[in-house]
Amino acid sequence: MDELCWWSAGRVAAAVAARTLSAREYLDVLLARIERYNAPLGLVTTLDERAYEWARRADEAVVRGDRLGPLHGVAMTVKDSLATGGLRTTGGVPVLSGFVPREDGAAVAGLRRAGAIVFGKTNLAAASADIQSYNDVFGTARNPWHPDHSTSGSSGGGAGAVASGFTPVELGSDVAGSIRLPASACGVFGHKPSFGIVPMHGHIPPMPFKQTTVDLAVTGPLARTVDDLETVLRATVGPHPWDQPAWQVSLPPAQPVRRIAAWVDDPYCPVDAEVAVALQTAVDAFCRAGIAVEPARPPGVRLAESDQVFRQLLAGFAASTGPAGGNAARLGGELADRPLNDWFHADAQRQRLRQHWRQFFSRYDAILLPVAPNLAIRHDHRPIAARQITVDAQERPYWQQTVWAGLTGVVYLPSTVVPVRLDTRGLPVGVAIAGPYLGDLTTLAAARLLAEHLDPIGTPPLDRLLSSDA
C-alpha cells in the first residue's frame, strides 16, 4: 500500500473512478505516511477531521454513477495561506493562530468542485514573506532530502510534502518565487501561472478576505508530474467570485514547442556552477528531443533594470497587504519608503518590459532560465539583514535568491519549474521554463517534453535521513 503515496493524482482519480481503489483507502495511506514521517520535518501543520467523511461520500458517488471531476477522490493539501472553510488558516501569523474561515478561498473551492478532498494544510514562511518556510505558529519546514537544509519559501511546506509522498499535489502561492524556489529546492514540479488567471480571493496576506487586489501575487500548483500541474491549474483557473456572473477564463491551447531561448547566466546575478550544470543538462535534454535551443534574451530587457522595477513594485505590494505583510516590505528593501509616484513610474517601466517580452515570444516559444542563482541553503533564522547566500563560495545578498524569479514575475509571465538533477550534496536543482503571458499551457508542454528526456531524480531517502538525525 505504501506505493500508493507515489501515485500521481491522475492515476489516483482514475483508480477511484474504476473502483480499484477507494478514496478512503488512499486517504488512509497518506495519513499513515504523515504520521510516520512528518513530525521531524514539520511540513503538514493541520489535518481536517472531516476528510474521511468526504472520502466516504466520494466513494458513494462512484457507486451511484455520478459525474466525476478530474480530481475526484484525490486527497491533497494546500498552503496555510489559503482559506479553508471550517479549518484553521493562519498564514503562519500568530495573531491568526486560531482563525477559522467561514468559507473557502476561490481557488480552494475550485479544487473541491473538481472532486479533490482537501485534508490538510502545509507550513510556510510567516505571512508568506520569506524565502525560508518557518514561523512562530508551526516552527520550521525541513527539506526531506536533507533536513538540515531549507525547503525554501514561502510555499516550502507544500513542496516538501509533495516530495515526501504526503500529498500528490499542493496548491501554493507566489510573489517573488514562492512556488518556484521551493519546487527547485525540494525536487518537484511547480507552476507560477500568468498573473490574474487564478483568483487570490481568500489568500493571506492581505488580512483574511480583505477585498484588495494585490499586484504580482498568484496562486498555483506543485506536483510530481506535469500532467498533475495542469489538472490542478485547470481546476483553479477562473475569475474572482465577484466577476463570475459575467466573466470566464479560457486559456489558449499549447503551441507547438520548436524553438526555445536560453538565458542561463548574467553578470548582474551570476549563477552557481552547479546551477549552470543543471541548466546545461536541460539544454542537452531539449536538444535530444529535437528542439532548437539558442542563447537569447529579449532586446531591451536587462536583468539589472528589470530587478529594480520588480523591487519597486514589491514595495507597493507590501504596502497593499497591510499588517499581515510582515517582512514583505523587506523584499523591496529601501524602496518601501518611497512615494506612491515611484510605483506609478515603475508600473510604466513594467509595461515597456512587457512589450519587449511580447515581441520576443513572437520568435521563441519559451525561454529556459535559472530558478535562483544559488543551491538550497541551510536553515538561517538570524535577522534578515544578517543573512547571506553562497554562490561559488562567494557570499552574496540574501534577496538575490529572488532576482531570476522576479525577471518573469514582474511582467506577469507563466513559469514552470522542472527538477533536473541532484547537486553534489544530494539536494535537488531545478530549472524554469517561462513563456508568453497567458501561454501557461505552452510552458507546461515544454516542461513535459523536458521531463520526458531527463532521468528521474528519485525520492528523498527519508528512512535513512531521519534515522541518522535521531
Side-chain angles (χ1 to χ4, degrees):
M1 294 292 287
D2 197 50
E3 180 192 351
L4 290 171
C5 71
W6 300 114
W7 282 19
S8 69
R11 184 177 179 184
V12 171
V16 170
R19 299 177 65 179
T20 59
L21 172 69
S22 75
R24 285 168 288 182
E25 288 172 334
Y26 183 63
L27 176 62
D28 281 339
V29 167
L30 297 187
L31 290 173
R33 188 166 180 84
I34 290 169
E35 175 66 23
R36 182 178 180 184
Y37 293 112
N38 184 64
L41 294 174
L43 303 172
V44 177
T45 59
T46 304
L47 296 173
D48 198 324
E49 296 179 353
R50 302 169 295 176
Y52 197 79
E53 173 61 19
W54 294 333
R56 185 187 65 79
R57 294 178 188 176
D59 291 331
E60 290 178 349
V62 175
V63 173
R64 288 194 304 267
D66 292 356
R67 183 176 180 180
L68 307 179
L71 292 169
H72 187 84
V74 177
M76 65 171 290
T77 58
V78 300
K79 185 179 180 181
D80 195 37
S81 61
L82 295 158
T84 43
L87 183 67
R88 68 173 173 173
T89 302
T90 74
V93 181
V95 71
L96 297 175
S97 60
F99 173 62
V100 178
R102 291 189 299 271
E103 60 182 279
D104 292 327
V108 175
L111 293 173
R112 297 198 201 272
R113 286 192 299 271
I117 297 167
V118 178
F119 77 97
K121 309 296 285 291
T122 54
N123 211 347
L124 70 168
S128 297
D130 199 350
I131 318 170
Q132 298 177 71
S133 296
Y134 71 96
N135 58 74
D136 290 336
V137 183
F138 299 118
T140 302
R142 302 183 181 279
N143 195 310
W145 293 89
H146 273 291
D148 56 350
H149 284 71
S150 174
T151 57
S152 193
S154 62
S155 306
V162 172
S164 300
F166 296 168
T167 178
V169 290
E170 160 84 5
L171 191 63
S173 60
D174 189 308
V175 173
S178 287
I179 289 170
R180 293 162 287 169
L181 296 169
S184 179
C186 295
V188 298
F189 296 87
H191 182 71
K192 184 204 84 69
S194 296
F195 178 78
I197 68 171
V198 179
M200 289 290 290
H201 173 261
H203 188 276
I204 301 170
M207 291 298 277
F209 289 101
K210 180 180 179 183
Q211 300 302 332
T212 300
T213 299
V214 294
D215 192 16
L216 300 169
V218 301
T219 295
L222 294 137
R224 292 190 296 270
T225 71
V226 177
D227 287 348
D228 281 353
L229 287 183
E230 183 170 334
T231 299
V232 174
L233 178 68
R234 289 183 181 275
T236 54
V237 162
H240 186 284
W242 290 5
D243 298 324
Q244 284 179 350
W247 292 4
Q248 62 180 2
V249 179
S250 180
L251 290 176
Q255 297 301 304
V257 179
R258 300 190 182 96
R259 191 181 186 196
I260 292 180
W263 186 353
V264 298
D265 207 348
D266 194 278
Y268 177 73
C269 189
V271 304
D272 189 272
E274 293 205 62
V275 174
V277 171
L279 288 157
Q280 186 59 51
T281 301
V283 170
D284 293 343
F286 272 128
C287 291
R288 289 195 298 273
I291 304 300
V293 181
E294 305 170 8
R297 62 192 69 183
V301 176
R302 294 185 300 110
L303 186 60
E305 177 191 18
S306 180
D307 185 52
Q308 289 304 305
V309 174
F310 181 53
R311 292 179 189 281
Q312 287 181 317
L313 295 171
L314 276 171
F317 165 83
S320 70
T321 55
N327 291 327
R330 298 179 183 176
L331 288 163
E334 298 176 357
L335 298 171
D337 296 325
R338 292 189 176 182
L340 183 60
N341 282 346
D342 283 4
W343 186 93
F344 287 110
H345 176 68
D347 185 51
Q349 291 178 294
R350 186 216 331 250
Q351 303 311 323
R352 179 176 54 80
L353 291 172
R354 293 187 72 188
Q355 181 61 22
H356 289 316
W357 279 104
R358 186 170 181 270
Q359 293 171 348
F360 180 73
F361 286 122
S362 68
R363 300 189 299 276
Y364 293 96
D365 303 309
I367 185 169
L368 180 69
L369 298 165
V371 178
N374 58 297
L375 304 173
I377 67 172
R378 288 182 176 271
H379 302 290
D380 185 353
H381 298 173
R382 294 176 297 170
I384 287 181
R387 300 178 196 169
Q388 292 181 311
I389 59 172
T390 301
V391 176
D392 286 338
Q394 299 294 316
E395 291 188 340
R396 299 256 294 277
Y398 181 74
W399 290 116
Q400 280 202 2
Q401 294 176 84
T402 67
V403 169
W404 286 99
L407 177 66
T408 50
V410 69
V411 286
Y412 298 163
L413 302 181
S415 181
T416 307
V417 171
V418 178
V420 171
R421 66 190 304 271
L422 300 181
D423 66 21
T424 53
R425 308 166 303 169
L427 282 152
V429 186
V431 301
I433 302 169
Y437 178 61
L438 303 179
D440 295 68
L441 300 183
T442 298
T443 69
L444 289 168
R448 187 180 290 108
L449 183 65
L450 174 59
E452 290 171 354
H453 289 81
L454 290 170
D455 294 328
I457 66 170
T459 58
L462 290 184
D463 286 313
R464 176 174 60 82
L465 290 173
L466 297 182
S467 63
S468 64
D469 185 61

